[in-house]
Amino acid sequence: MAFNILVVDDSATMRMVIKKTVEISGVPVGHFFEAAHGKEALEILDNNWIDVLLSDINMPVMNGIELLAEIKNDENLKRIPVIFITTVASDARMEEARRMGVAGYVTKPFQPEVIRGVLYKVLEDAYQQKVEVPTQSVAQEKDDDLDF
Amino acid sequence: MDDQFRSLVYRACSAVFETMFFLFPEPIDEIPGAGRRGAFAPNGAHIRASITCHGSSSGSFKFFIPRLLAVHITTNFLGVSEQDINEEQILDTAKETVNMVVGSLLGKIDPTGATKLQIPEATMLDNFSVTEVLKEKGLFLFNTDFGPLCLVYTQQ
């Protein structure tokens, strides 16, 4: 099964980094969608099937907490697991997010392995199926293919 | 500004640069005197990246990043070569840098989460002189292979 992934972050550069991190993690990706804030994300969610959403918290227009609340209040969207990838790492903020139903939490700065670990766990929990973890990452495979 | 706060700022900054950009900035704790001025000689094009926070720990943080360093961290961050990046990505990386440093700092000094981070901003400065900020009380200095990195904290 390939997963449709939506990344929400007001930094285009961070979205690109997260996309690359997901790609090298080996998670099978169907379509990759991007939004710069919560409102834009809701428009994408209205028109596309999304399997997992990775979102920043601190964003203009609509922040990640507001986006999570919208998703959890919508019968059609509340099934979608949401992972926060954010600099906001206070215990209180994480507890608030957990109460609201966030599926995972990654704090910036992050190691790619952390996103990979959280993403696999969330996908397995949400879809009740084993997500095949490659024995080596895609990046390693690419390195191995190089002849010197 | 107490020693513990200084230490937390240095640690937050080092963690971001090491984890995201594979760079190891060297904190310079003493206020630079004339004898150390040589270490801070490179002036010229810089990026100013700033963010403010409001709540129990209100203040503003301004990074002054030499352009050479900004280019280097952007290429490392994106995993691409220098000719593949643009000005917008350099500014964006600078904004994300100040956002990550201050966000992780707040996680340590304000566990209640009462302090809210604003949206970061970044600007190109064609002619910035490091000496402009040397007298700032909330000055944090780092030595890097790509020039001195300055962070100025102003409590509000």
Side-chain angles (χ1 to χ4, degrees):
Chain A
M1 174 182 179
F3 298 97
N4 286 351
I5 296 177
L6 170 58
V7 175
V8 193
D9 198 309
D10 54 325
S11 161
T13 308
M14 184 53 82
R15 293 199 302 270
M16 191 171 160
V17 169
I18 292 170
K19 184 180 177 186
K20 278 194 172 183
T21 303
V22 171
E23 280 170 355
I24 63 169
S25 76
V27 169
V29 179
H31 288 285
F32 214 99
F33 297 87
E34 295 183 35
H37 50 72
K39 233 179 179 115
E40 216 172 277
L42 288 173
E43 286 168 20
I44 291 171
L45 288 165
D46 271 347
N47 297 304
N48 299 278
W49 179 271
I50 300 294
D51 295 300
V52 64
L53 189 149
L54 309 173
S55 178
D56 189 14
I57 290 181
N58 189 25
M59 294 178 290
V61 186
M62 179 187 281
N63 68 36
I65 296 283
E66 292 165 336
L67 172 62
L68 179 64
E70 291 280 340
I71 288 172
K72 294 303 168 189
N73 284 329
D74 187 313
E75 281 303 315
N76 295 321
L77 301 178
K78 66 181 184 185
R79 61 163 183 88
I80 301 172
V82 175
I83 298 171
F84 278 145
I85 301 178
T86 180
T87 58
V88 185
S90 71
D91 294 344
R93 185 60 74 89
M94 282 196 256
E95 183 50 38
E96 180 190 8
R98 262 194 293 270
R99 265 202 320 272
M100 292 174 67
V102 79
Y105 208 106
V106 176
T107 54
K108 300 175 193 169
F110 55 78
Q111 302 274 5
E113 299 78 25
V114 176
I115 290 195
R116 173 189 159 110
V118 171
L119 189 54
Y120 272 98
K121 184 177 184 317
V122 165
L123 288 171
E124 285 184 2
D125 288 350
Y127 296 101
Q128 302 293 307
Q129 69 171 70
K130 183 84 183 150
V131 179
E132 285 300 320
V133 181
T135 51
Q136 58 181 350
S137 71
V138 174
Q140 271 178 301
E141 280 173 18
K142 281 180 182 164
D143 285 346
D144 292 347
D145 287 344
L146 295 174
D147 287 326
F148 292 99
Chain B
M1 191 172 15
D2 63 26
D3 287 347
Q4 192 188 1
F5 181 74
R6 291 192 75 84
S7 168
L8 286 171
V9 171
Y10 278 130
R11 262 191 280 164
C13 205
S14 295
V16 168
F17 275 78
E18 289 173 21
T19 310
M20 305 306 288
F21 310 133
F22 319 109
L23 197 87
F24 299 86
E26 177 193 11
I28 301 163
D29 216 6
E30 68 267 32
I31 297 296
R36 301 293 304 269
R37 194 62 60 86
F40 310 107
N43 294 317
H46 276 64
I47 316 292
R48 182 183 59 216
S50 59
I51 197 165
T52 56
C53 48
H54 299 295
S56 57
S57 308
S58 293
S60 73
F61 292 81
K62 283 186 198 139
F63 262 117
F64 294 92
I65 308 169
R67 187 183 158 79
L68 195 61
L69 174 60
V71 168
H72 184 77
I73 63 176
T74 305
T75 57
N76 278 7
F77 194 39
L78 294 175
V80 295
S81 57
E82 193 175 330
Q83 58 267 30
D84 293 327
I85 59 169
N86 56 41
E87 297 293 293
E88 197 181 331
Q89 288 169 325
I90 294 171
L91 289 172
D92 208 22
T93 302
K95 283 193 275 187
E96 202 52 44
T97 303
V98 71
N99 189 35
M100 285 190 281
V101 169
V102 180
S104 82
L105 177 69
L106 287 181
K108 291 181 176 64
I109 64 174
D110 179 27
T112 63
T115 306
K116 303 292 182 216
L117 264 185
Q118 304 301 299
I119 304 298
E121 295 173 358
T123 319
M124 295 278 184
L125 304 173
D126 289 336
N127 282 306
F128 170 75
S129 169
V130 173
T131 53
E132 285 175 33
V133 296
L134 289 180
K135 286 181 183 162
E136 295 280 352
K137 281 183 186 167
L139 174 67
F140 298 83
L141 278 168
F142 296 83
N143 197 20
T144 81
D145 292 342
F146 304 92
L149 171 66
C150 306
L151 173 62
V152 176
Y153 168 61
T154 311
Q155 197 169 13
Q156 289 169 351

